Amino acid sequence: MIPLGELVNIKGGGTPDKSNSEYWNGEIPWASVKDFKKNTLDSTLDSITLLGAKNSATSVIPAGNIIIPTRMALGKVAINTIDLAINQDLKALSIKDNNVVDRDYLFRWLESQSSLIESEGKGATVKGITLPFLKGLNVPIPPLNEQKRIAAIFEKVDSIRQKCNRGVKLADDLLHAIFLDMFGDPVENPKGWVIDSLFKYGAFRNGMNFSKGESGATLKCLGVGDFKSLATITCMDNIGEIKLNTLPSDDYLLKDGDIVFVRSNGNKALVGRCLTIYPGKGKVTFSGFCIRYRIENPSLLPEYLNFLFRTPSMKQQMLSGGQGANIQNISQGTLSALRIPVPPLEKQLAFSKVVSFHSALMEKLDINTAKTEDMFDSISQQYFN
């Protein structure tokens, strides 16, 4: 067991003056925690100039170093595959002696310590870890050839994991492409479908407001946290429960095919997101931060409507009527005012069949993804605990 500080050199970063335009949009990629979308840093959202790098505390890190956040995004770790500068929330780790520790092995070990690193975060609003804590992490150091063998195993499993994730994204992108091919952009309506209002085809209902002190009746409640990136929910197991003094009226209970929108949230990116729910015989209500739309006219299908509202153009049109400075929101009026294309029923039915096939495929992909994640965690437990 060797302290991390004895294995690596640690270099910090900084941020050039953002009010000086001569320091920004230059030739040097500049990384911050918002670039930690995966375990490699091959591009950054921001860049700085040579002058900006010279007149700030940032450091330009050569490709091939381990980059770890010490403030925000705790527990994440990446390897930079390009030369880049880093901000003050990141630390770059360079191996002191490649004959003592293998970089890829150390990277995987740091990945395995994500929960520990995250739990060590201190701070009232933004969590951070100290440099002494980072340097003091004790790293198990088997012989170098064993380190390389372990790193190679992780690389193979990670490759399988990434392929599963790419498969999920590809299947999702394909379904959106099929929707646009069949129906065209819903705002431009190039195919000339009949244009109408949602109000003509169904009814809206805002979700329930309840207090934490209630007790007696227990039922599941769909909240904003359940949406994630899902288009459909058919299993209610992961939806949380609430307690109420009395059960709500049937109008507050969700039915198969109901479409639920995020009405209001502090994260503006979530506002307007929708999903279709199929609770079956289960009693499921929905929170006051949501709006339920129930189709009552059979000439409009939920599968079609769901993907219509997932297109960027329709969502932009929906949000253009949102109100609120700090918490953007939509309302029943916002949704009722939208003009939507209504294609022939047979076209919608054809798309519904594609959605059913896609759902079955996604279920298999999700199972495979879960298996690879379990495999990765199992190997991590085997080698690092």
Side-chain angles (χ1 to χ4, degrees):
M1 303 295 291
I2 300 179
L4 182 64
E6 295 182 17
L7 297 170
V8 299
N9 294 309
I10 301 177
K11 186 175 287 189
T15 301
D17 183 358
K18 291 192 174 182
S19 65
N20 192 330
S21 61
E22 293 184 348
Y23 292 169
W24 293 92
N25 301 315
E27 61 274 37
I28 303 173
W30 181 79
S32 63
V33 291
K34 60 187 177 184
D35 296 305
F36 278 69
K37 307 296 184 184
K38 51 186 180 178
N39 58 16
T40 56
L41 289 173
D42 50 20
S43 63
T44 60
L45 294 173
D46 300 303
S47 61
I48 60 174
T49 62
L50 286 170
L51 187 64
K54 181 180 178 181
N55 291 295
S56 69
T58 191
S59 300
V60 178
I61 309 301
N65 280 265
I66 298 172
I67 313 293
I68 184 169
T70 53
R71 186 173 176 270
M72 299 188 291
L74 294 180
K76 292 189 176 182
V77 60
I79 293 175
N80 63 312
T81 58
I82 57 171
D83 295 353
L84 49 75
I86 59 174
N87 80 346
Q88 63 276 8
D89 297 327
L90 307 179
K91 294 289 185 288
L93 315 182
S94 59
I95 305 295
K96 289 182 178 179
D97 189 343
N98 291 314
N99 293 316
V100 174
V101 63
D102 177 73
R103 183 205 65 182
D104 293 338
Y105 167 82
L106 182 60
F107 168 75
R108 295 299 180 185
W109 181 81
L110 284 166
E111 268 192 331
S112 75
Q113 303 301 299
S114 61
S115 296
L116 171 64
I117 293 171
E118 189 175 6
S119 69
E120 187 65 21
K122 302 291 190 298
T125 54
V126 178
K127 303 294 184 183
I129 57 172
T130 64
L131 194 57
F133 166 77
L134 185 63
K135 289 182 175 181
L137 289 171
N138 284 312
V139 185
I141 302 295
L144 193 62
N145 61 343
E146 178 68 3
Q147 294 180 42
K148 292 181 180 293
R149 188 183 74 85
I150 292 171
I153 291 171
F154 272 104
E155 184 64 27
K156 288 180 180 178
V157 178
D158 197 28
S159 176
I160 295 170
R161 183 169 65 169
Q162 290 179 30
K163 285 178 181 177
C164 286
N165 291 333
R166 283 197 297 270
V168 170
K169 186 178 186 305
L170 183 62
D172 200 41
D173 289 347
L174 179 61
L175 188 57
H176 286 276
I178 290 172
F179 177 91
L180 291 175
D181 183 62
M182 291 181 68
F183 305 111
D185 182 272
V187 173
E188 296 176 1
N189 193 24
K191 298 183 183 288
W193 308 122
V194 172
I195 298 295
D196 225 324
S197 165
L198 282 175
F199 195 71
K200 181 178 175 180
Y201 293 86
F204 295 99
R205 167 69 73 178
N206 282 3
M208 287 196 61
N209 294 309
F210 53 89
S211 63
K212 292 184 178 180
E214 297 189 40
S215 62
T218 301
L219 77 163
K220 289 185 175 293
C221 180
L222 180 74
V224 175
D226 298 308
F227 279 67
K228 302 182 176 68
S229 58
L230 300 173
T232 305
I233 292 182
T234 56
C235 177
M236 306 299 116
D237 292 349
N238 294 324
I239 294 178
E241 294 183 338
I242 60 170
K243 292 184 181 296
L244 300 172
N245 293 334
T246 58
L247 283 174
S249 63
D250 286 347
D251 205 32
Y252 283 104
L253 297 179
L254 295 169
K255 295 181 179 179
D256 288 348
D258 281 350
I259 297 175
V260 186
F261 295 86
V262 175
R263 181 183 65 82
S264 176
N265 192 262
N267 180 359
K268 293 184 179 182
L270 292 175
V271 176
R273 187 170 292 183
C274 72
L275 57 78
T276 310
I277 190 165
Y278 295 87
K281 296 181 180 179
K283 291 186 181 297
V284 182
T285 188
F286 53 107
S287 82
F289 296 103
C290 302
I291 299 174
R292 183 222 69 204
Y293 179 69
R294 179 168 296 160
I295 297 173
E296 297 173 341
N297 188 324
S299 58
L300 191 63
L301 298 183
E303 292 82 7
Y304 164 74
L305 195 59
N306 181 302
F307 279 87
L308 177 140
F309 280 106
R310 296 171 77 82
T311 58
S313 61
M314 183 54 74
K315 185 168 183 182
Q316 182 179 5
Q317 185 163 307
M318 182 202 313
L319 295 179
S320 64
Q323 302 297 318
N326 297 321
I327 300 180
Q328 189 172 348
N329 61 77
I330 60 173
S331 66
Q332 295 183 27
T334 305
L335 295 170
S336 298
L338 293 172
R339 306 292 289 171
I340 64 164
V342 183
L345 184 58
E346 59 269 21
K347 293 282 289 185
Q348 297 183 51
L349 286 168
F351 182 69
S352 294
K353 291 180 180 179
V354 176
V355 172
S356 296
F357 175 79
H358 174 268
S359 297
L361 176 62
M362 292 297 283
E363 186 175 348
K364 291 180 180 178
L365 287 171
D366 286 343
I367 290 171
N368 288 337
T369 301
K371 286 182 177 178
T372 56
E373 292 290 349
D374 289 344
M375 187 194 313
F376 195 89
D377 292 342
S378 176
I379 292 171
S380 180
Q381 291 283 329
Q382 178 182 344
Y383 287 117
F384 295 137
N385 281 359

